[in-house]
Amino acid sequence: MTAHSFEKDGKATVVAPNGARVHHDHLAQNDVIHRNLYEVRPGVWCLVGNGLSNQTFVDAPEGIVAFDTGDSVQEMAAALAELRRHTSRPIAAVVYTHFHYVDGTTAVLDEANHTKPLPIHGHRRIALNKVRASGEVGPAYSRGLVEQFGIVMPNEGPDALVNVGLGFHYRNPAHSPATPGHIPVTHELPTEGEMSIAGARVIVKHSPSDSDDSVNFFFPDLGVCVHNTVWPALFNVFPIRGEEYRDPRVLIPGIEQIIEWAPEYLVGTHGPPLSGRDNIRAISERYRDSIQFLWDQTVRAVNKGWTADETASRVTLPSLFDVDYLTSERYGVAEHHVRQILVGLRGWFDGEESKLFPAPPEERFEKLIAGFGGRDVVASKASEAFDNDDVRWGIELATWLARSAAATDADRNLLARGLRLVAERTPAANIRNWAITRARHLDGRTPMDRYMRHGFGSKSVAHVDSAELIHTIRVLLDPASAGGVRAHVCFVVDGESAGLLIRNCVAVPTDGRGADASVSMTRATLIAVLSGKQPWSTADIEVAGDRGVVDSVRRCFDHEGLRG
């Protein structure tokens, strides 16, 4: 079906109805994730294609159990409207499979057809993971989402978005404006064991997947398994947006548990439901074994002394895994997954001598360019490589030019050309979307600069308490500005206190006690300053103590709003 990561030529490239140039397998994923409310069996429904995730409903003795609520109130409201065509029974419980799709829950309250109080079941780490996603690594996390899910890609033309692998969009535009409506977990799930949810007998098993808070569920009386483990594409050990390491050794037991449960119906967080005990066993075994293959062969490569580049080029999935969408490279690609496994297993240094102490990038690029005969020669060779379908080499050459100090628009456009060739030849949604987003950044059509700084938007930090926000500021400290500074400031935000102590070129989080000075403000003022809508100097902030201490602290940070 597919080549290794991307095709060597354009023979598999087609034009989608919206004008997008795309690999035919990437386009074919539209048929897998098309919108449909599946009646899995009597009393069990799964809505696919409403958003990035599914919404699943199970009819239990006390009412309907709703699994996952999507990315917005509007998304969940649409799912409930579909459900109501089949049953008017109240929602008796909401269950979160993991923290990714939990922002539409208040739609259940808005519908006013639910048990009171409404139980919300989920893993204890869901709240922590929601804060992590918008905290210290917020800009990188947000930028990664934009790139992987094609959020700023056009709707029509050669660069148009086709799908995001697991769904058609990161957020369905039909649900705009998307309103967050998360309700925290009220009933923490056990690590494993049998329990009752809305009167139904359920066996639960903590099964880390693309997050460490994933839980799988089996209704033995219904033969139904609801899970976040077997996806409608090869499992994403490495998401191109960047994430914490997804260790195959931790992933595999979750699939083995599904095999042991032997369900008659398999209902996922993503993709269409599967049925038939033997069919599910065969698919689950193949899915499990694809992950073990990547792990085992990467370990084999490490033991042989292969570098990351050698491993990525030599470890390829056998064709037996490419028989359908379930273990094909329609989301991420195997060569990236083995790199991630290698780093997770051994760290970043892979034994290649040149990587031990490499020259600074700009210096290295200039020397490589000069060694090849100058910028014009390198550009000519890169263009020639693209013409001859030697895309990997062409991108490497073009990268030297585009990332060098003397880079021109022509250099950046040349690199963008190479990335578009990858985009139209890869079956993987993650890769196409990333490559086009980066190409449009390089050629100036859709600059990504605003995603390269902390935004602290009111919606993105709505669930983060003020003390956590203050402590997050520490990762913005500029060492060049903090040299020789030792000062401690307490921030009081709507009565909640948190402190930052500057010393040794770091900002140490404190509770604010014993500070040299304090500043008081409302949360609205804090968000206005952090989001850049208002500089510190004009904000309504009350200073108690030495104002010079406050100024010395805020000027340590690489943030225009704080510097004022």
Side-chain angles (χ1 to χ4, degrees), residues 450-467:
R450 66 191 180 98
Y451 296 104
M452 298 179 186
R453 58 180 179 271
H454 262 92
F456 296 103
S458 57
K459 284 186 177 181
S460 66
V461 300
H463 56 281
V464 183
D465 64 47
S466 297

PDB file of all heavy atoms in Angstrom, residues 450-467:
ATOM      1  N   ARG A 450       4.284  33.796  15.827  1.00  0.00           N
ATOM      2  CA  ARG A 450       3.492  34.038  17.041  1.00  0.00           C
ATOM      3  C   ARG A 450       3.371  32.795  17.907  1.00  0.00           C
ATOM      4  O   ARG A 450       2.982  32.883  19.082  1.00  0.00           O
ATOM      5  CB  ARG A 450       2.103  34.557  16.680  1.00  0.00           C
ATOM      6  CG  ARG A 450       1.189  33.593  15.936  1.00  0.00           C
ATOM      7  CD  ARG A 450      -0.027  34.323  15.411  1.00  0.00           C
ATOM      8  NE  ARG A 450      -0.955  33.483  14.683  1.00  0.00           N
ATOM      9  CZ  ARG A 450      -2.051  32.945  15.208  1.00  0.00           C
ATOM     10  NH1 ARG A 450      -2.343  33.189  16.475  1.00  0.00           N
ATOM     11  NH2 ARG A 450      -2.854  32.208  14.487  1.00  0.00           N
ATOM     12  N   TYR A 451       3.693  31.644  17.344  1.00  0.00           N
ATOM     13  CA  TYR A 451       3.649  30.410  18.121  1.00  0.00           C
ATOM     14  C   TYR A 451       5.003  30.085  18.753  1.00  0.00           C
ATOM     15  O   TYR A 451       5.173  28.991  19.302  1.00  0.00           O
ATOM     16  CB  TYR A 451       3.210  29.245  17.232  1.00  0.00           C
ATOM     17  CG  TYR A 451       1.805  29.385  16.705  1.00  0.00           C
ATOM     18  CD1 TYR A 451       1.568  29.768  15.380  1.00  0.00           C
ATOM     19  CD2 TYR A 451       0.703  29.165  17.526  1.00  0.00           C
ATOM     20  CE1 TYR A 451       0.274  29.906  14.898  1.00  0.00           C
ATOM     21  CE2 TYR A 451      -0.587  29.306  17.053  1.00  0.00           C
ATOM     22  CZ  TYR A 451      -0.794  29.678  15.734  1.00  0.00           C
ATOM     23  OH  TYR A 451      -2.077  29.819  15.252  1.00  0.00           O
ATOM     24  N   MET A 452       5.934  31.000  18.677  1.00  0.00           N
ATOM     25  CA  MET A 452       7.269  30.763  19.216  1.00  0.00           C
ATOM     26  C   MET A 452       7.523  31.593  20.468  1.00  0.00           C
ATOM     27  O   MET A 452       8.657  31.930  20.788  1.00  0.00           O
ATOM     28  CB  MET A 452       8.325  31.041  18.142  1.00  0.00           C
ATOM     29  CG  MET A 452       8.171  30.122  16.945  1.00  0.00           C
ATOM     30  SD  MET A 452       9.370  30.433  15.632  1.00  0.00           S
ATOM     31  CE  MET A 452       8.762  29.310  14.344  1.00  0.00           C
ATOM     32  N   ARG A 453       6.455  31.931  21.180  1.00  0.00           N
ATOM     33  CA  ARG A 453       6.569  32.645  22.451  1.00  0.00           C
ATOM     34  C   ARG A 453       5.363  32.296  23.310  1.00  0.00           C
ATOM     35  O   ARG A 453       4.332  31.875  22.814  1.00  0.00           O
ATOM     36  CB  ARG A 453       6.637  34.160  22.217  1.00  0.00           C
ATOM     37  CG  ARG A 453       5.438  34.733  21.469  1.00  0.00           C
ATOM     38  CD  ARG A 453       5.578  36.239  21.272  1.00  0.00           C
ATOM     39  NE  ARG A 453       4.446  36.797  20.533  1.00  0.00           N
ATOM     40  CZ  ARG A 453       4.383  36.899  19.217  1.00  0.00           C
ATOM     41  NH1 ARG A 453       5.403  36.489  18.486  1.00  0.00           N
ATOM     42  NH2 ARG A 453       3.322  37.405  18.627  1.00  0.00           N
ATOM     43  N   HIS A 454       5.504  32.499  24.608  1.00  0.00           N
ATOM     44  CA  HIS A 454       4.395  32.250  25.522  1.00  0.00           C
ATOM     45  C   HIS A 454       3.282  33.265  25.259  1.00  0.00           C
ATOM     46  O   HIS A 454       3.505  34.466  25.296  1.00  0.00           O
ATOM     47  CB  HIS A 454       4.862  32.381  26.970  1.00  0.00           C
ATOM     48  CG  HIS A 454       5.179  31.061  27.609  1.00  0.00           C
ATOM     49  ND1 HIS A 454       6.429  30.515  27.602  1.00  0.00           N
ATOM     50  CD2 HIS A 454       4.386  30.162  28.257  1.00  0.00           C
ATOM     51  CE1 HIS A 454       6.414  29.354  28.237  1.00  0.00           C
ATOM     52  NE2 HIS A 454       5.191  29.109  28.644  1.00  0.00           N
ATOM     53  N   GLY A 455       2.079  32.764  24.982  1.00  0.00           N
ATOM     54  CA  GLY A 455       0.954  33.651  24.707  1.00  0.00           C
ATOM     55  C   GLY A 455       0.083  33.916  25.910  1.00  0.00           C
ATOM     56  O   GLY A 455      -0.470  34.995  26.070  1.00  0.00           O
ATOM     57  N   PHE A 456      -0.031  32.925  26.806  1.00  0.00           N
ATOM     58  CA  PHE A 456      -0.863  33.044  28.003  1.00  0.00           C
ATOM     59  C   PHE A 456      -2.261  33.573  27.677  1.00  0.00           C
ATOM     60  O   PHE A 456      -2.788  34.445  28.369  1.00  0.00           O
ATOM     61  CB  PHE A 456      -0.203  33.962  29.039  1.00  0.00           C
ATOM     62  CG  PHE A 456       1.095  33.450  29.590  1.00  0.00           C
ATOM     63  CD1 PHE A 456       2.305  33.980  29.148  1.00  0.00           C
ATOM     64  CD2 PHE A 456       1.127  32.439  30.539  1.00  0.00           C
ATOM     65  CE1 PHE A 456       3.518  33.514  29.655  1.00  0.00           C
ATOM     66  CE2 PHE A 456       2.335  31.967  31.038  1.00  0.00           C
ATOM     67  CZ  PHE A 456       3.534  32.509  30.607  1.00  0.00           C
ATOM     68  N   GLY A 457      -2.872  33.070  26.624  1.00  0.00           N
ATOM     69  CA  GLY A 457      -4.233  33.482  26.287  1.00  0.00           C
ATOM     70  C   GLY A 457      -5.212  33.074  27.372  1.00  0.00           C
ATOM     71  O   GLY A 457      -5.040  32.059  28.041  1.00  0.00           O
ATOM     72  N   SER A 458      -6.245  33.856  27.557  1.00  0.00           N
ATOM     73  CA  SER A 458      -7.174  33.617  28.661  1.00  0.00           C
ATOM     74  C   SER A 458      -7.830  32.241  28.576  1.00  0.00           C
ATOM     75  O   SER A 458      -8.036  31.569  29.590  1.00  0.00           O
ATOM     76  CB  SER A 458      -8.238  34.719  28.705  1.00  0.00           C
ATOM     77  OG  SER A 458      -8.925  34.797  27.466  1.00  0.00           O
ATOM     78  N   LYS A 459      -8.165  31.788  27.359  1.00  0.00           N
ATOM     79  CA  LYS A 459      -8.793  30.474  27.215  1.00  0.00           C
ATOM     80  C   LYS A 459      -7.809  29.345  27.522  1.00  0.00           C
ATOM     81  O   LYS A 459      -8.147  28.371  28.172  1.00  0.00           O
ATOM     82  CB  LYS A 459      -9.354  30.294  25.798  1.00  0.00           C
ATOM     83  CG  LYS A 459     -10.644  31.053  25.536  1.00  0.00           C
ATOM     84  CD  LYS A 459     -11.210  30.695  24.173  1.00  0.00           C
ATOM     85  CE  LYS A 459     -12.543  31.394  23.934  1.00  0.00           C
ATOM     86  NZ  LYS A 459     -13.112  31.035  22.601  1.00  0.00           N
ATOM     87  N   SER A 460      -6.576  29.506  27.047  1.00  0.00           N
ATOM     88  CA  SER A 460      -5.605  28.416  27.193  1.00  0.00           C
ATOM     89  C   SER A 460      -5.158  28.227  28.633  1.00  0.00           C
ATOM     90  O   SER A 460      -4.707  27.136  29.003  1.00  0.00           O
ATOM     91  CB  SER A 460      -4.389  28.672  26.299  1.00  0.00           C
ATOM     92  OG  SER A 460      -3.681  29.816  26.727  1.00  0.00           O
ATOM     93  N   VAL A 461      -5.268  29.259  29.474  1.00  0.00           N
ATOM     94  CA  VAL A 461      -4.836  29.142  30.876  1.00  0.00           C
ATOM     95  C   VAL A 461      -6.006  29.216  31.840  1.00  0.00           C
ATOM     96  O   VAL A 461      -5.821  29.374  33.039  1.00  0.00           O
ATOM     97  CB  VAL A 461      -3.791  30.228  31.228  1.00  0.00           C
ATOM     98  CG1 VAL A 461      -2.561  30.092  30.354  1.00  0.00           C
ATOM     99  CG2 VAL A 461      -4.383  31.625  31.112  1.00  0.00           C
ATOM    100  N   ALA A 462      -7.222  29.065  31.328  1.00  0.00           N
ATOM    101  CA  ALA A 462      -8.412  29.201  32.176  1.00  0.00           C
ATOM    102  C   ALA A 462      -8.406  28.204  33.334  1.00  0.00           C
ATOM    103  O   ALA A 462      -8.902  28.497  34.426  1.00  0.00           O
ATOM    104  CB  ALA A 462      -9.677  29.041  31.339  1.00  0.00           C
ATOM    105  N   HIS A 463      -7.843  26.999  33.104  1.00  0.00           N
ATOM    106  CA  HIS A 463      -7.852  25.948  34.116  1.00  0.00           C
ATOM    107  C   HIS A 463      -6.572  25.933  34.949  1.00  0.00           C
ATOM    108  O   HIS A 463      -6.382  25.041  35.786  1.00  0.00           O
ATOM    109  CB  HIS A 463      -8.039  24.580  33.448  1.00  0.00           C
ATOM    110  CG  HIS A 463      -7.013  24.290  32.410  1.00  0.00           C
ATOM    111  ND1 HIS A 463      -7.078  24.822  31.141  1.00  0.00           N
ATOM    112  CD2 HIS A 463      -5.866  23.564  32.453  1.00  0.00           C
ATOM    113  CE1 HIS A 463      -6.036  24.409  30.449  1.00  0.00           C
ATOM    114  NE2 HIS A 463      -5.289  23.663  31.220  1.00  0.00           N
ATOM    115  N   VAL A 464      -5.680  26.926  34.763  1.00  0.00           N
ATOM    116  CA  VAL A 464      -4.405  26.987  35.484  1.00  0.00           C
ATOM    117  C   VAL A 464      -4.520  28.027  36.587  1.00  0.00           C
ATOM    118  O   VAL A 464      -4.878  29.178  36.324  1.00  0.00           O
ATOM    119  CB  VAL A 464      -3.249  27.350  34.531  1.00  0.00           C
ATOM    120  CG1 VAL A 464      -1.928  27.332  35.283  1.00  0.00           C
ATOM    121  CG2 VAL A 464      -3.208  26.411  33.345  1.00  0.00           C
ATOM    122  N   ASP A 465      -4.234  27.622  37.821  1.00  0.00           N
ATOM    123  CA  ASP A 465      -4.377  28.595  38.909  1.00  0.00           C
ATOM    124  C   ASP A 465      -3.279  29.648  38.831  1.00  0.00           C
ATOM    125  O   ASP A 465      -2.248  29.468  38.174  1.00  0.00           O
ATOM    126  CB  ASP A 465      -4.421  27.912  40.278  1.00  0.00           C
ATOM    127  CG  ASP A 465      -3.136  27.181  40.644  1.00  0.00           C
ATOM    128  OD1 ASP A 465      -2.047  27.753  40.477  1.00  0.00           O
ATOM    129  OD2 ASP A 465      -3.223  26.036  41.113  1.00  0.00           O
ATOM    130  N   SER A 466      -3.508  30.753  39.501  1.00  0.00           N
ATOM    131  CA  SER A 466      -2.613  31.915  39.380  1.00  0.00           C
ATOM    132  C   SER A 466      -1.213  31.618  39.893  1.00  0.00           C
ATOM    133  O   SER A 466      -0.218  32.090  39.324  1.00  0.00           O
ATOM    134  CB  SER A 466      -3.215  33.112  40.126  1.00  0.00           C
ATOM    135  OG  SER A 466      -4.449  33.492  39.547  1.00  0.00           O
ATOM    136  N   ALA A 467      -1.096  30.854  40.976  1.00  0.00           N
ATOM    137  CA  ALA A 467       0.231  30.511  41.497  1.00  0.00           C
ATOM    138  C   ALA A 467       1.027  29.721  40.466  1.00  0.00           C
ATOM    139  O   ALA A 467       2.225  29.962  40.272  1.00  0.00           O
ATOM    140  CB  ALA A 467       0.093  29.721  42.791  1.00  0.00           C
TER     141      ALA A 467
END
